[in-house]
Amino acid sequence: MNDKAISCMLKHFLCHVDDLDIQKAIQGTLHITTKNSDALTAIFLKENMPIPLGFGEEDLNVEAPKLFSDSFYLLYLKHISNVLLLSATTGVDVAARSDVRSFFRSLLLKAEKLNQTIADASDMNDKELFLGSYFDEKRPLTVIEISHIVSSIQTNLIAKDLILGFAQTAPSQEIQAFLLKVREQVRQHIESLSQPLMAENIPVTMKWDYGVEKSSVPPFSEKLMMFHLVAMITENVRGYGLAMSTSPRLDLALNYTNFTNEILEYAKEVSRISIEQGWLEEPPHIPFPKIHLE
C-alpha cells in the first residue's frame, strides 16, 4: 500500500518536474516502488493471501496543475529513500523466510543506489543545516542529539508543505479544516525543535518553504491524502521514538514525548475519517485456527 501510494505521488510529480536531474531521481524511485509492489504481490499470491487494494488510477488526476515545486520533489525523494533504507534494513533483520529476506536485501541495494542518485541531484549549499549546541547553562547537545533534531525538522518540513498542498486541493471542507489544523501543529513542532539550535545563536540555514503552487485542482483522491498523512505521522512517531531513546537530556526527551502524544491524537482522527468514508482496508492476517472443544 505504501508503494502504491508513493507511486501515485511520483506519477504526478513526473508530469510537472522541470529539472532533468530531479526527473531522473523521480523515475528511479517510481521504478523501485513499482517493482516492490509486483514482488510483494507475488509473495501474497504464493501464500493465497488477499492482495490489498491500495491505490491506483482512480486516486490520481494526472491532468491537475503542478502543486509542488521541484525543490519539494527533491526533499520528498530524500525522505522516501530514507524510508526505503530503514524498511529494508529492518526487513533483512526480522525476516526468516529466504524469499522475503531476498526481497529486502534487493530493496536495500536499490535504496542505497537511489540515495546516491538523489544526492547527486541535490544542490546542498542552500539545504544543509549548520548546527551547534544549546543553552549555556545546560550541557551541550551531543552529535547524535543534533542529528535527530535536524532529521525531525526535515521530516516536519516535508509534512508541512505536503499537508498544505493536500488542504489546498481537498474537496471536503471537513478534511480541509482537519488538514490545516494538523499543519499548524506541525509548524509548532518545527519551531520547538529549532529552539535548542537557535538558543545559542546557531544559524538554522535552511529553506522553511519548499514550494506549494497555487493550484486548487486535486491531483490526488482524499483517500490517498489521508493514507499519506498517516504514513507521515508513522514516520514522525518512529523518528521521535528513536530520538528519545538516544537523547539523555530530559528536556529533549520530554519534547519528543509530547510531540508523539500530540500527533497520535491526529492519527486517531484520520482513522475515524477513513472508517466513516470506507477507506480503511483491513490488513492481511493469518486465519485463526479452528478450536474444537469437547
Side-chain angles (χ1 to χ4, degrees):
M1 290 180 71
N2 276 320
D3 287 325
K4 288 185 176 181
I6 293 168
S7 293
C8 286
M9 303 288 292
L10 298 177
K11 287 176 182 177
H12 188 262
F13 293 175
L14 274 177
C15 293
H16 301 287
V17 63
D18 296 315
D19 186 281
L20 294 180
D21 289 331
I22 298 176
Q23 180 187 57
K24 178 182 176 182
I26 295 174
Q27 290 171 332
T29 310
L30 180 59
H31 178 75
I32 291 175
T33 57
T34 302
K35 292 297 183 182
N36 283 356
S37 182
D38 292 342
L40 292 170
T41 297
I43 293 175
F44 274 65
L45 289 174
K46 184 178 179 181
E47 294 299 315
N48 294 317
M49 298 184 72
I51 309 301
L53 294 176
F55 304 91
E57 299 303 320
E58 67 278 8
D59 298 297
L60 175 65
N61 177 12
V62 293
E63 296 181 357
K66 186 171 184 174
L67 185 59
F68 302 104
S69 69
D70 282 12
S71 295
F72 178 84
Y73 293 163
L74 193 59
L75 192 64
Y76 179 90
L77 291 176
K78 177 62 177 173
H79 171 73
I80 293 302
S81 72
N82 290 340
V83 170
L84 291 174
L85 282 169
L86 183 58
S87 299
T89 304
T90 303
V92 169
D93 182 50
V94 303
R97 277 178 43 159
S98 60
D99 57 342
V100 178
R101 287 179 60 84
S102 177
F103 166 77
F104 282 115
R105 277 196 292 265
S106 175
L107 177 58
L108 182 59
L109 294 175
K110 293 175 184 176
E112 288 177 336
K113 185 176 180 180
L114 173 64
N115 196 272
Q116 184 58 51
T117 300
I118 294 169
D120 291 342
S122 301
D123 176 11
M124 298 303 292
N125 290 331
D126 65 342
K127 295 183 178 67
E128 289 185 353
L129 299 178
F130 299 95
L131 307 169
S133 55
Y134 190 23
F135 300 121
D136 292 334
E137 68 269 22
K138 298 179 180 178
R139 71 146 174 84
L141 293 169
T142 66
V143 172
I144 293 177
E145 287 169 339
I146 294 172
S147 297
H148 283 300
I149 291 174
V150 174
S151 178
S152 294
I153 290 175
Q154 290 177 335
T155 300
N156 278 291
L157 282 171
I158 299 168
K160 184 171 70 72
D161 277 5
L162 192 68
I163 293 170
L164 177 59
F166 286 170
Q168 197 170 281
T169 57
S172 167
Q173 289 187 349
E174 178 192 4
I175 292 179
Q176 185 179 92
F178 172 68
L179 288 169
L180 290 175
K181 185 168 66 172
V182 177
R183 185 175 185 269
E184 174 58 23
Q185 188 68 69
V186 169
R187 186 193 65 77
Q188 292 178 18
H189 284 197
I190 293 171
E191 288 190 357
S192 296
L193 287 163
S194 302
Q195 288 305 311
L197 306 177
M198 296 189 295
E200 289 190 351
N201 297 317
I202 303 300
V204 185
T205 54
M206 64 192 304
K207 286 186 177 180
W208 289 83
D209 291 290
Y210 279 86
V212 180
E213 306 294 334
K214 295 181 179 181
S215 172
S216 59
V217 180
F220 315 112
S221 68
E222 290 183 323
K223 173 187 173 184
L224 177 57
M225 292 180 192
M226 289 294 99
F227 180 87
H228 220 68
L229 179 59
V230 170
M232 293 296 296
I233 289 175
T234 300
E235 286 306 311
N236 241 343
V237 169
R238 178 157 48 183
Y240 288 156
L242 183 59
M244 192 188 314
S245 68
T246 56
S247 300
R249 271 183 39 168
L250 294 180
D251 59 324
L252 298 180
L254 180 60
N255 278 343
Y256 289 129
T257 300
N258 292 336
F259 294 162
T260 300
N261 291 335
E262 289 168 357
I263 61 176
L264 284 177
E265 287 301 312
Y266 288 117
K268 292 180 183 177
E269 184 65 11
V270 174
S271 296
R272 181 192 66 79
I273 294 173
S274 298
I275 291 172
E276 288 181 354
Q277 297 294 330
W279 296 336
L280 193 64
E281 288 191 55
E282 181 181 1
H285 57 78
I286 298 175
F288 289 107
K290 294 182 179 180
I291 300 176
H292 300 282
L293 299 177
E294 296 181 357

